[in-house]
Amino acid sequence: MLQLRSKETLDHGDLGWLKAHHHFVVSAGGNKANGALGALVVWNDDEIAPGTGFGRHSHADMEIVTYVRQGAVTHEDSTGNVGRTVAGDVQVMSAGTGISHSEHNRDEDPLKLFQIWLLPRHRGGKPRWDSRKFPKADRAGRLIELASGDPKSADTLLIRADARVLGATLLAGTTLTHAPARFRHAYLAPTQGVILVNGQRVAVGDGIAAIDEPELTITAEENAEFILVDAA
């Protein structure tokens, strides 16, 4: 089953410095049709104004993956990590028993990012943070792992959830396929361009949920990039 979540159906908020669209319901009054998919519980599309950001706040028992679409995010946390992740790259944070952190846009242009929250396999654990560069040329015409819960995936960022975060770029008219394992879910959202997922059109700002679909055929209607999460 496919469920298109068009931009118009997403909950959203505007705080001036932060413009956010929520692909998954985050409040009691939100669109309940956009529910969680297994371990995947949050997918926020955020735009953060220059010189602003999220002050120090805390998380526990959550795996948080951030894909930077435009600009750069500066991260600082209570375990001593400080990092700057730029467009096209990824950072992950395992909150574990508890971590406090801040995320800011220190640049002069708006920061755009996807922030994806996944439930961990087990509660607790030592908090950790990591980031990695993922050149877009490496994912041209194919899906590559950006983060994975499989400890055997040595060439990716490790998370503690039963999930994989993948990314791809496609030239207009080209196609790739993804076959989720049985009883798994997938969610896709373009970061640029327009894609067709099993014939359904998905543009920037939209997302699409796939539940027990044996195969996803993804075609670029125009030059496109997208992020896909495959989760149990």
Side-chain angles (χ1 to χ4, degrees):
M1 182 182 76
L2 293 176
Q3 180 205 13
L4 177 66
R5 300 185 181 185
S6 65
K7 186 175 182 179
E8 293 73 25
T9 71
L10 305 182
D11 300 332
H12 63 276
D14 187 344
L15 300 179
W17 65 273
L18 171 67
K19 295 178 174 62
H21 286 83
H22 308 291
H23 287 259
F24 291 75
V25 62
V26 294
S27 65
N31 184 357
K32 293 179 174 55
N34 295 340
L37 295 174
L40 178 57
V41 294
V42 170
W43 186 310
N44 290 341
D45 184 349
D46 292 340
E47 180 177 327
I48 300 166
T52 69
F54 298 94
R56 187 63 69 95
H57 59 286
S58 298
H59 299 279
D61 296 318
M62 193 65 67
E63 302 296 298
I64 301 175
V65 180
T66 302
Y67 179 78
V68 181
R69 297 174 53 201
Q70 174 185 302
V73 61
T74 298
H75 165 100
E76 299 182 33
D77 66 44
S78 54
T79 67
N81 291 304
V82 177
R84 185 174 185 270
T85 305
V86 303
D89 296 341
V90 183
Q91 67 174 23
V92 298
M93 186 173 74
S94 294
T97 54
I99 189 171
S100 62
H101 75 134
S102 62
E103 292 175 303
H104 285 94
N105 178 7
R106 304 292 190 195
D107 292 0
E108 297 180 356
D109 297 315
L111 163 64
K112 296 181 180 181
L113 53 81
F114 285 156
Q115 192 163 91
I116 297 162
W117 294 21
L118 295 145
L119 296 173
R121 288 189 179 92
H122 307 289
R123 295 172 63 89
K126 184 178 180 180
R128 59 182 293 275
W129 175 88
D130 198 1
S131 68
R132 187 168 179 180
K133 296 183 180 298
F134 285 98
K136 290 188 179 182
D138 292 351
R139 52 187 125 131
R142 66 190 183 107
L143 281 164
I144 66 165
E145 282 189 340
L146 307 178
S148 174
D150 184 353
K152 297 178 182 178
S153 297
D155 296 329
T156 188
L157 290 165
L158 183 64
I159 53 177
R160 298 172 183 162
D162 188 357
R164 301 164 69 211
V165 181
L166 306 106
T169 59
L170 288 175
L171 294 176
T174 61
T175 297
L176 61 78
T177 60
H178 175 71
R182 197 176 180 194
F183 305 124
R184 294 182 71 85
H185 313 295
Y187 194 82
L188 295 80
T191 65
Q192 64 183 54
V194 179
I195 57 176
L196 302 174
V197 180
N198 290 1
Q200 292 212 42
R201 191 174 190 269
V202 189
V204 172
D206 304 332
I208 191 165
I211 303 169
D212 292 334
E213 285 284 325
E215 184 172 85
L216 302 175
T217 300
I218 304 157
T219 301
E221 185 175 282
E222 58 187 57
N223 291 350
E225 178 190 63
F226 66 92
I227 303 298
L228 183 156
V229 174
D230 182 318

